[in-house]
Amino acid sequence: MAATEIARQAGEGARAVPLAGHVGFDSMPDQLVNKSVNHGFCFNILCVGETGLGKSTLMDTLFNTKFEGEPTQHNQPGVQLKSNTYELQESNVRLKLTVVNTVGFGDQINKEDSYKSIVEFIDTQFEAYLQEELKIKRTLHSYHDTRIHACLYFIAPTGHSLKSLDLVTMKKLDSKVNIIPIIAKSDAISKSELTKFKIKITSELVSNGVQIYQFPTDDETVAEINSTMNGHLPFAVVGSTEEVKIGNKMVKARQYPWGTVQVENENHCDFVKLREMLIRVNMEDLREQTHTRHYELYRRCKLEEMGFKDTDPDCKPFSLQETYEAKRNEFMGDLQKKEEEMRQMFVQRVKEKEAELKEAEKELHEKFDRLKKLHQDEKKKLEDKKKSLDDELNGFKQKKTAAELLQSQAQQAGGSTTLKRDKERKNFF
Amino acid sequence: MPPLLCRISLIRCSLRSVQLEFTSHGAGDFSYVGIDAILEQMRRKAMKQGFELNIMIVGQSGLGKSTLMNTLFKSKVSRKSVVSTPEERIPKTIEIKSISHDIEEKGVRMKLTVIDTPGFGDHINNENCWQPIMKFINDQYEQYLQEEINIDRKKRIPDSRVHCCMYFIPPTGHCLRPLDVEFMSRLSKVVNIVPVIAKADTLTLEERDFFKQTIREGLRANGIDVYPQKEFDEDADDRMINDKIREMIPFAVVGSNQEYQVNGKRLLGRKTKWGTIEVENIAHCEFAHLRDLLIRTHMQNIKDITSSIHYEVYRVRRLNETNGQPNAQPPNTLVNPQQANGVAAQHQVLTHEM
């Protein structure tokens, strides 16, 4: 098969070509939008703040619905995160909204570990997305994205400055999520105190190096409004789900004996600004920042932690597969080494045992030999004795026969005299 | 890869399907939340980023491919307009030439890449002429995959994957040739194929209908799934629209670079002694349908199918083969034809050839 020639022209710098008529691809944004509408959107908000700062009420006010749930008690042993998902629909847009509340934040006596469960939760969501992305058979386009897009940090309206718990928590969260600080229950602070409070907060954040979310100013259509809003951070909000009749309209407000705080009145609080920025202008940007900045950072750290690199020391690009292979080979190699070691040890032990047993056997044999020898010695001794006794017996027998022979001879010669003598002797006795 | 375990102190995670309808909305109305403003935000973002489209044109030389490209995009986007060749020569081997253009219309910027394949089907022995094309398409998938699995990856991965492959069928009037069948059956598994009947002004309307019918039967008989594929229809509305399109493919098109005066208007067309063929007149040829399908209505859909189906199939195969496992997955309509076709074998053959 002949070799093929692949030529690529005008690579990076594509030439700009003028059109001689209406082609029709200006409908592309519409096509894209239609596809997204069919698919639906999802948005996840995390509310961090002490118990009783009005987080749930603010969510209700923002989205104009009553999300269920009763106020939590103040005696939680640790910080837990409660997540609820709702499906909202407005005109033809379907939104899957997930609201995550921190339960028990700031209630403990020792608050050192308060931020840990929040950071863990955020990391878990990133991890779930990363796992899905790394799967071989994946369904990214229908995956329910649970990554936190915006974190509303509720600051208690003390009027002085940020609490150290706030600073520590925000510092830990600023590289993981878009933080939008808001002053909760701001109807407790007067206007002059509010400006001082805001300045103090922003200067403390800056001096501690906390990076809060800045509304983007690179798109001309929204640059202006975003930059003005950036100056109003943190937003001082009031939340209310009760409606009060003002003039001839029913408005959301909080009624006091000395007056009524209208939620949607820009002179009273910054609620409208928050809603504008969070939902109407920058929702898409928040989602994009989460994906391209925070998630990518998490992913990079995680993969590097697992030992994957992009380039090896020779500056040649590694492919993930090669790294997988290398790692797997390493792992197998380790396993094999371990196996070898174990086998060696086993062989060693067996040898030792064998030697021991051999020793024991040898001993036994020796003992046996010794005993046998003893036995033989004894036997020999006895035989010798027997022999000597036999010899004696033989000697005696010989003597006896010799004596009898002499006697019989002597009897024949003077037999009677001996007999007489014997008889005399006998009669004598 | 060791499993990663994380403990979460989540006490309740429930999905509430609370359908809340907002009936009235207006900027000052307090019951209006403003969720639908996200559409506007998306549109803004899309306009800022611009779009990318990569089209590949495949067919024998002399079928009017370059002219059709120029007609489709109303500008000189074809290879011939960019590189002026002194004489027309058929390259000895199939070349793949891709040229990028930045075009803009009403504030929408698009980077259009036209990938030309001179030399296809022009030789005496056309065996394996699809191989360099398959290799090119798989190389683009490979490039995207490498970018995607990088640790430090770019904000927007440049998309050079081939979104659509236009296959030009010569207007014989009879039926599909073996080369057509072979090419389309192999490539329909990796890329969206849009077959067109080239130089359709040589066919009368009856001949055209007959030809189209035989082509459609030929495609069905050989199991070739051209765009819009039946299995990717999302819902009933989609199916209705796509069925109408499926009844019209392949489109019989005529391309032209020149304008003529017809009835007081200047129109693109071909002037002959017996009349002028208007390119954009649907009574004359189906160019307008092709353009509407490709650009005005289904462009996003084509790109989506490429990225979420064809690319994913490639990715699954690629990740499985490096793990050393045989591709033992539960029968999946998307994966099975792949194996039967021997595409995996093709890919390995090509890599060895490098």
Side-chain angles (χ1 to χ4, degrees), chain B residues 8 71 99 108 121 184 242 271 342:
Chain B
I8 30 166
T71 323
I99 304 181
V108 179
M184 282 202 277
N242 287 344
K271 189 162 179 185

Side-chain angles (χ1 to χ4, degrees), chain A residues 324-351:
Chain A
Y324 269 129
E325 282 291 313
K327 275 205 149 314
R328 176 198 261 164
N329 288 338
E330 210 184 296
F331 186 64
M332 299 300 265
D334 278 338
L335 270 181
Q336 271 187 325
K337 238 193 292 180
K338 264 202 176 140
E339 214 181 311
E340 268 304 310
E341 269 174 39
M342 283 181 88
R343 195 174 301 143
Q344 297 259 8
M345 215 163 65
F346 180 70
V347 167
Q348 182 93 337
R349 284 251 183 91
V350 164
K351 272 200 189 138

Side-chain angles (χ1 to χ4, degrees), chain A residues 46-50 53 55 79 81 100-102 105 118 122 151-155 166 169 173 182:
Chain A
L46 169 69
C47 295
V48 181
E50 297 174 13
L53 275 184
K55 303 190 284 286
V79 180
L81 287 104
V100 186
N101 254 315
T102 48
F105 188 76
I118 305 178
I122 298 177
C151 169
L152 293 179
Y153 196 92
F154 287 70
I155 300 173
D166 294 339
T169 315
L173 290 179
I182 55 181

Side-chain angles (χ1 to χ4, degrees), chain A residues 261-426:
Chain A
V261 180
Q262 290 162 39
V263 168
E264 273 157 339
N265 189 333
E266 295 226 31
N267 292 329
H268 290 194
C269 73
D270 293 335
F271 174 81
V272 173
K273 295 197 183 78
L274 174 68
R275 183 176 59 190
E276 190 78 17
M277 287 291 105
L278 187 65
I279 303 177
R280 294 187 193 172
V281 177
N282 295 308
M283 187 155 41
E284 184 59 33
D285 185 68
L286 283 165
R287 282 162 25 127
E288 197 179 326
Q289 289 288 325
T290 308
H291 182 69
T292 52
R293 233 173 22 133
H294 302 293
Y295 170 70
E296 284 298 312
L297 182 67
Y298 174 82
R299 179 177 178 272
R300 203 177 316 140
C301 293
K302 195 79 207 199
L303 290 181
E304 273 172 2
E305 198 182 287
M306 294 204 293
F308 294 109
K309 287 192 284 287
D310 262 348
T311 55
D312 63 0
D314 299 322
C315 281
K316 273 186 302 162
F318 252 160
S319 82
L320 211 62
Q321 272 76 16
E322 282 176 24
T323 336
Y324 269 129
E325 282 291 313
K327 275 205 149 314
R328 176 198 261 164
N329 288 338
E330 210 184 296
F331 186 64
M332 299 300 265
D334 278 338
L335 270 181
Q336 271 187 325
K337 238 193 292 180
K338 264 202 176 140
E339 214 181 311
E340 268 304 310
E341 269 174 39
M342 283 181 88
R343 195 174 301 143
Q344 297 259 8
M345 215 163 65
F346 180 70
V347 167
Q348 182 93 337
R349 284 251 183 91
V350 164
K351 272 200 189 138
E352 277 175 18
K353 210 54 192 266
E354 224 181 305
E356 261 177 48
L357 284 174
K358 267 206 180 125
E359 279 280 327
E361 203 182 338
K362 208 158 123 193
E363 261 184 50
L364 275 174
H365 275 173
E366 272 178 19
K367 209 172 179 186
F368 180 68
D369 283 340
R370 249 183 302 133
L371 282 175
K372 196 164 171 190
K373 195 155 172 243
L374 260 174
H375 170 77
Q376 275 185 346
D377 283 345
E378 284 281 323
K379 197 170 172 188
K380 195 160 176 221
K381 249 196 242 165
L382 285 171
E383 273 186 15
D384 283 345
K385 235 187 181 171
K386 187 178 177 195
K387 198 168 171 203
S388 64
L389 278 174
D390 274 342
D391 283 342
E392 249 183 74
L393 198 66
N394 283 342
F396 183 71
K397 269 196 186 149
Q398 275 183 350
K399 272 194 191 158
K400 187 177 172 189
T401 38
E404 279 183 0
L405 200 64
L406 264 173
Q407 241 185 12
S408 63
Q409 277 184 347
Q411 253 187 356
Q412 283 194 347
S416 48
T417 39
T418 32
L419 270 166
K420 261 193 195 165
R421 258 202 221 134
D422 283 332
K423 263 195 198 159
E424 280 176 26
R425 228 191 267 145
K426 275 188 189 161

Side-chain angles (χ1 to χ4, degrees), chain B residues 297-313:
Chain B
T297 55
H298 282 69
M299 194 192 274
Q300 186 61 39
N301 185 247
I302 289 177
K303 289 171 63 168
D304 286 340
I305 292 187
T306 309
S307 77
S308 57
I309 296 175
H310 292 296
Y311 170 69
E312 290 296 319
V313 166

Side-chain angles (χ1 to χ4, degrees), chain B residues 71-327:
Chain B
T71 323
L72 256 180
F73 290 99
K74 295 233 168 45
S75 58
K76 306 225 180 294
V77 294
S78 73
R79 169 184 58 98
K80 296 207 185 127
S81 323
V82 176
V83 179
S84 54
T85 44
E87 76 280 338
E88 269 313 300
R89 58 167 189 91
I90 292 178
K92 283 218 168 60
T93 60
I94 299 169
E95 300 172 337
I96 309 229
K97 292 202 159 74
S98 106
I99 304 181
S100 297
H101 312 269
D102 275 331
I103 44 182
E104 195 216 310
E105 190 174 52
K106 293 201 181 140
V108 179
R109 287 176 298 121
M110 180 150 91
K111 180 159 180 246
L112 171 73
T113 307
V114 176
I115 303 155
D116 205 348
T117 55
F120 177 84
D122 285 336
H123 306 118
I124 295 179
N125 184 1
N126 283 315
E127 254 179 30
N128 297 333
C129 59
W130 50 82
Q131 260 185 10
I133 299 176
M134 286 274 287
K135 183 174 181 312
F136 179 80
I137 294 177
N138 284 332
D139 279 346
Q140 304 315 304
Y141 287 146
E142 182 63 33
Q143 197 178 0
Y144 193 85
L145 180 67
Q146 289 302 326
E147 267 303 319
E148 200 186 28
I149 59 182
N150 249 348
I151 301 209
D152 232 336
R153 45 188 199 185
K154 307 197 184 113
K155 240 187 181 182
R156 255 191 98 199
I157 305 175
D159 192 358
S160 60
R161 301 174 290 191
V162 177
H163 297 131
C164 167
C165 173
M166 281 179 57
Y167 187 76
F168 285 71
I169 301 174
T172 57
H174 296 166
C175 61
L176 286 174
R177 301 166 303 154
L179 174 66
D180 302 333
V181 170
E182 203 45 53
F183 181 85
M184 282 202 277
S185 69
R186 280 167 195 274
L187 254 72
S188 60
K189 315 256 185 335
V190 291
V191 74
N192 298 319
I193 292 200
V194 176
V196 293
I197 301 175
K199 295 200 167 170
D201 49 340
T202 56
L203 297 170
T204 64
L205 286 181
E206 295 86 19
E207 286 170 356
R208 185 199 293 179
D209 285 334
F210 173 72
F211 190 29
K212 281 205 212 183
Q213 213 166 343
T214 16
I215 292 182
R216 279 198 290 268
E217 273 167 22
L219 292 177
R220 231 190 326 261
N222 287 292
I224 302 173
D225 230 351
V226 296
Y227 184 82
Q229 293 96 335
K230 245 200 166 75
E231 47 185 345
F232 306 142
D233 283 340
E234 286 178 18
D235 51 25
D237 292 331
D238 241 10
R239 199 165 306 133
M240 236 172 38
I241 302 174
N242 287 344
D243 275 342
K244 285 210 203 88
I245 298 172
R246 280 189 276 265
E247 276 164 37
M248 284 203 284
I249 52 169
F251 295 107
V253 295
V254 175
S256 165
N257 279 331
Q258 292 192 310
E259 288 186 349
Y260 294 99
Q261 197 89 359
V262 177
N263 290 341
K265 289 193 290 185
R266 286 198 69 82
L267 297 169
L268 281 174
R270 286 173 64 75
K271 189 162 179 185
T272 60
K273 287 212 158 56
W274 49 91
T276 311
I277 304 159
E278 293 159 42
V279 166
E280 306 217 3
N281 188 337
I282 49 175
H284 290 194
C285 77
E286 293 175 333
F287 171 80
H289 290 297
L290 175 69
R291 181 201 50 209
D292 288 344
L293 174 76
L294 212 49
I295 301 177
R296 291 187 189 174
T297 55
H298 282 69
M299 194 192 274
Q300 186 61 39
N301 185 247
I302 289 177
K303 289 171 63 168
D304 286 340
I305 292 187
T306 309
S307 77
S308 57
I309 296 175
H310 292 296
Y311 170 69
E312 290 296 319
V313 166
Y314 176 81
R315 181 174 177 275
V316 167
R317 188 163 50 89
R318 184 86 173 80
L319 292 183
N320 269 338
E321 77 187 25
T322 32
N323 282 348
Q325 297 159 12
N327 204 350

Side-chain angles (χ1 to χ4, degrees), chain A residues 63-242:
Chain A
F63 290 100
N64 212 19
T65 67
K66 185 90 180 73
F67 298 131
E68 40 71 64
E70 338 82 35
T72 43
Q73 307 298 315
H74 283 249
N75 51 4
Q76 306 288 330
V79 180
Q80 285 169 324
L81 287 104
K82 240 187 335 168
S83 152
N84 289 314
T85 311
Y86 310 95
E87 277 194 28
L88 308 174
Q89 180 157 0
E90 194 170 63
S91 59
N92 58 344
V93 177
R94 287 176 296 123
L95 179 74
K96 216 180 213 150
L97 175 76
T98 305
V99 178
V100 186
N101 254 315
T102 48
V103 172
F105 188 76
D107 272 340
Q108 298 80 31
I109 295 178
N110 183 358
K111 297 178 227 175
E112 267 180 1
D113 296 336
S114 302
Y115 67 86
K116 284 200 185 138
S117 38
I118 305 178
V119 169
E120 239 183 79
F121 179 79
I122 298 177
D123 278 345
T124 315
Q125 310 314 310
F126 281 148
E127 186 59 37
Y129 192 85
L130 181 66
Q131 289 296 323
E132 182 65 32
E133 201 187 21
L134 289 180
K135 265 196 211 165
I136 293 190
K137 263 192 151 188
R138 57 188 192 180
T139 47
L140 268 186
H141 53 272
S142 56
Y143 177 74
H144 174 48
D145 191 1
T146 51
R147 299 174 292 181
I148 302 293
H149 299 128
C151 169
L152 293 179
Y153 196 92
F154 287 70
I155 300 173
T158 58
H160 298 320
S161 60
L162 283 174
K163 298 189 188 167
S164 48
L165 173 66
D166 294 339
L167 276 173
V168 165
T169 315
M170 277 205 266
K171 194 87 182 79
K172 293 279 175 204
L173 290 179
D174 70 350
S175 56
K176 296 210 172 277
V177 75
N178 302 314
I179 299 186
I180 302 176
I182 55 181
I183 302 173
K185 294 195 168 176
S186 64
D187 49 345
I189 315 181
S190 71
K191 245 206 156 101
S192 49
E193 284 174 359
L194 194 61
T195 22
K196 274 194 281 188
F197 192 28
K198 281 194 186 183
I199 294 172
K200 193 81 185 11
I201 292 179
T202 22
S203 64
E204 276 196 343
L205 289 175
V206 164
S207 61
N208 279 291
V210 175
Q211 286 177 331
I212 53 175
Y213 176 71
Q214 297 292 324
F215 303 118
T217 46
D218 43 6
D219 189 349
E220 322 78 43
T221 37
V222 292
E224 214 183 289
I225 186 172
N226 274 343
S227 49
T228 28
M229 291 300 179
N230 273 330
H232 281 126
L233 279 173
F235 294 125
V237 294
V238 175
S240 167
T241 43
E242 290 158 359

